[in-house]
Amino acid sequence: MIVSLVPPGRVTTYGSIARLLGLSPRIVGRALALNDNPIIVPCHRVVRSDGSLGGYSGPGGPAFKRRLLELEGVRFLSDGRVAPEHIVDAASLI
């Protein structure tokens, strides 16, 4: 899956993946919510188009998602959104 190509320290967006696949961002979000192997499919590296975290169905919810991203070197703005320099377009990953 495309999410597996997002390197540590970077994120992509639901919308970016959706455009690449010709889907709705909501479908991408639903598919990632079903992820039962977050070690292989790092769904924590997908955020909303505005840089806000969105959901996280793994243990600990969005707060844990943020902590994982911080551990990978992702910086956050004061309003809680991912700093733009960490966001990549999914198309650039293939």
Side-chain angles (χ1 to χ4, degrees):
M1 176 170 235
I2 295 165
V3 176
S4 300
L5 300 175
V6 181
R10 298 285 185 253
V11 300
T12 193
T13 66
Y14 298 103
S16 179
I17 293 171
R19 280 189 301 280
L20 186 62
L21 299 177
L23 300 170
S24 160
R26 290 183 184 203
I27 292 173
V28 173
R30 285 188 178 253
L32 292 176
L34 298 174
N35 178 20
D36 61 353
N37 198 343
I39 301 298
I40 303 299
V41 182
C43 55
H44 66 280
R45 295 185 189 144
V46 182
V47 299
R48 291 180 177 158
S49 294
D50 68 355
S52 61
L53 287 177
Y56 184 66
S57 59
F64 188 68
K65 179 177 182 174
R66 179 181 172 129
R67 185 66 184 129
L68 288 173
L69 292 172
E70 288 173 334
L71 289 170
E72 293 180 351
V74 173
R75 191 176 64 78
F76 287 82
L77 303 174
S78 61
D79 63 3
R81 293 179 296 131
V82 171
E85 65 266 20
H86 294 282
I87 301 174
V88 297
D89 185 5
S92 72
L93 300 171
I94 57 170

